[in-house]
Amino acid sequence: MSGTTDVSRADATRARLLEAATGAFAEKGFHGTTTRDIATLAGMSPAALYVHHKSKEELLYLISRTGHERTLALVEAAAASSEDPVEALRRLVHDFAADHAVTHTGARIVNYELAALSPEHFAEIRAIRQRIDRALGDVVERGLATGAFDTPDPRMAGVALLSLGIDIARWYRDDGSWSPQDIGARYAEMALRIVGAG
Amino acid sequence: MSGTTDVSRADATRARLLEAATGAFAEKGFHGTTTRDIATLAGMSPAALYVHHKSKEELLYLISRTGHERTLALVEAAAASSEDPVEALRRLVHDFAADHAVTHTGARIVNYELAALSPEHFAEIRAIRQRIDRALGDVVERGLATGAFDTPDPRMAGVALLSLGIDIARWYRDDGSWSPQDIGARYAEMALRIVGAG
DNA sequence: ACTCGCTAAGTAAGCGCTTAGTCACATAGG
DNA sequence: CCTATGTGACTAAGCGCTTACTTAGCGAGT
């Protein structure tokens, strides 16, 4: 009982530190954030960070890996959600865009702080990104194969679709007038126009 | 004459420092770049930077302002290049996308290092960005007014068009297989599909 | 029941190092 | 001699991270 309590308390502290790091990295970038910033945001002393994590870079890696894995799961689920390429792509772009809006702080780190990762961590993350690209590319190819899509350069269209979603992390603000669901729905329609479905 | 020579030599040195800073900021970010990185890249001693520039932030500001002014000029020229909204938008997106590919190092700083600017410099830059947004928005509105475009949410379509171009700065590599002209042409076609022209 | 030693969580202080920026001085052209 | 250009040596401040230490809760031995 008490053991369990201790473990969950430690986990909560780790999570607080990760949340603090996410906010700070998203706002000021990895190199613009100090370990004191993170500790202060989490309401702890600078040394507490090192009780729970090996280094500042490890915090970045954990945030980046978690975010990438969530996105990969979301994209693969959407790709497999329907036999119909139109419906699969609609859901993929909808969920991808809405997720980038909801988790825009994390998504900012995921997409714009890759260069601050260690070479080993970067290699691991890059592999996940390639799986995301492939899942999207497969849906586009399915649509071309069935004749549902019509685009002169499918690979470039795929890059553009990803850009649309990723860039949301750059411009989205919580106090804006568009909800993540609005954005997801509109972006899904734009995506279908881009690939010539309709 | 010799006075002129001296001035142009100084200008060349300033330009070398700006180029070095552009490369370093684009690769490692403003906070991840040291003044020694910049000076070394420019082939000078660390102190030489301060002969020609007030601070590291001033370098960022100069790079950012120059880049934004170039983009604004390009966008306004494209918007005014044709009475036909379809042709104006085609040229705008083509030039915007191709320029982000050609100048991707500078464009990366322009779009992803805004938070590192001083508050005063940021305010100035933001004003330029708003003029860019407005120029694009005007073209989209013209297309809607003439019935050439058809889109349920023109403001969101405008944001998406900008995202398409801006995100090129994130993924474009000089050794890739697509030329800036290829990208510009394909992206212009995708843009017209997004706004429902066609 | 009650110490005792063990462990995990957390901190105050500060180490070794790097940072942006400064300054006295050297050099060269006029 | 004067000004513009550039440098090596320097400084104050801030960085990531470590260390020595405190505190609190736990099971084991008696």
Side-chain angles (χ1 to χ4, degrees):
Chain A
M1 184 137 58
S2 54
T4 305
T5 303
D6 284 1
V7 167
S8 69
R9 178 118 77 130
D11 282 355
T13 306
R14 283 171 60 92
R16 275 227 316 286
L17 286 164
L18 281 168
E19 270 178 52
T22 302
F25 290 164
E27 193 185 343
K28 305 193 281 184
F30 177 77
H31 291 297
T33 299
T34 71
T35 54
R36 283 163 181 80
D37 290 339
I38 299 167
T40 302
L41 270 174
M44 314 190 74
S45 76
L49 197 155
Y50 294 91
V51 173
H52 295 282
H53 297 284
K54 256 178 53 189
S55 66
K56 182 183 157 191
E57 194 271 344
E58 195 198 67
L59 282 168
L60 174 64
Y61 165 65
L62 289 174
I63 294 165
S64 191
R65 200 192 56 188
T66 306
H68 276 93
E69 283 173 348
R70 257 239 337 287
T71 300
L72 174 61
L74 172 160
V75 166
E76 288 187 336
S81 70
S82 173
E83 296 286 325
D84 180 4
V86 172
E87 285 314 308
L89 189 67
R90 191 200 306 278
R91 172 152 161 199
L92 194 159
V93 172
H94 175 282
D95 290 2
F96 190 74
D99 186 66
H100 275 72
V102 172
T103 69
H104 63 279
T105 49
R108 210 132 32 188
I109 298 163
V110 159
N111 289 297
Y112 302 125
E113 299 295 337
L114 294 169
L117 289 165
S118 73
E120 296 77 23
H121 287 159
F122 175 69
E124 190 183 330
I125 296 291
R126 195 174 56 174
I128 304 179
R129 292 183 78 90
Q130 286 168 348
R131 292 179 62 192
I132 294 171
D133 294 352
R134 206 174 312 134
L136 172 68
D138 287 351
V139 174
V140 173
E141 274 188 34
R142 274 166 50 201
L144 290 166
T146 67
F149 298 164
D150 172 34
T151 173
D153 192 331
R155 298 219 314 126
M156 207 179 292
V159 169
L161 295 181
L162 287 173
S163 280
L164 239 40
I166 288 169
D167 199 60
I168 293 170
R170 184 185 58 80
W171 60 258
Y172 186 84
R173 299 294 117 109
D174 280 320
D175 54 15
S177 54
W178 292 329
S179 77
Q181 293 306 314
D182 291 342
I183 294 169
R186 296 290 187 210
Y187 270 52
E189 290 305 317
M190 290 193 261
L192 292 175
R193 286 184 174 193
I194 285 176
V195 298
Chain B
M1 185 132 60
S2 56
T4 305
T5 303
D6 284 2
V7 168
S8 71
R9 177 120 74 132
D11 282 355
T13 307
R14 284 170 60 92
R16 275 227 317 286
L17 285 164
L18 281 169
E19 270 178 53
T22 302
F25 290 164
E27 193 186 342
K28 307 193 281 183
F30 177 78
H31 292 295
T33 299
T34 70
T35 55
R36 278 163 181 75
D37 290 339
I38 299 167
T40 302
L41 270 173
M44 314 192 72
S45 77
L49 197 155
Y50 294 92
V51 173
H52 295 282
H53 298 283
K54 258 178 51 190
S55 67
K56 181 183 156 189
E57 194 271 344
E58 196 198 65
L59 281 167
L60 174 64
Y61 166 64
L62 289 173
I63 295 164
S64 191
R65 200 192 56 188
T66 306
H68 277 93
E69 283 171 350
R70 256 239 339 286
T71 300
L72 174 61
L74 174 159
V75 167
E76 287 186 337
S81 69
S82 173
E83 295 286 324
D84 180 5
V86 172
E87 285 315 308
L89 188 67
R90 191 199 307 278
R91 171 150 163 201
L92 193 159
V93 172
H94 175 281
D95 291 1
F96 189 74
D99 186 67
H100 275 73
V102 172
T103 68
H104 64 278
T105 50
R108 212 139 15 190
I109 297 163
V110 158
N111 289 298
Y112 302 125
E113 298 295 337
L114 294 169
L117 289 165
S118 73
E120 297 77 22
H121 287 159
F122 175 69
E124 190 183 329
I125 296 293
R126 194 175 56 174
I128 305 178
R129 291 183 81 88
Q130 285 168 348
R131 291 178 61 191
I132 294 170
D133 294 352
R134 206 175 312 133
L136 172 69
D138 286 351
V139 175
V140 172
E141 273 188 35
R142 274 165 51 200
L144 289 167
T146 67
F149 298 164
D150 172 36
T151 172
D153 192 330
R155 300 219 315 128
M156 207 179 292
V159 169
L161 296 181
L162 288 173
S163 281
L164 240 39
I166 288 169
D167 200 59
I168 292 170
R170 183 186 59 82
W171 59 258
Y172 186 84
R173 299 294 118 108
D174 280 321
D175 54 14
S177 54
W178 291 327
S179 77
Q181 293 306 315
D182 290 343
I183 294 169
R186 296 288 187 212
Y187 270 53
E189 291 305 318
M190 289 193 260
L192 292 175
R193 287 183 173 193
I194 285 177
V195 298

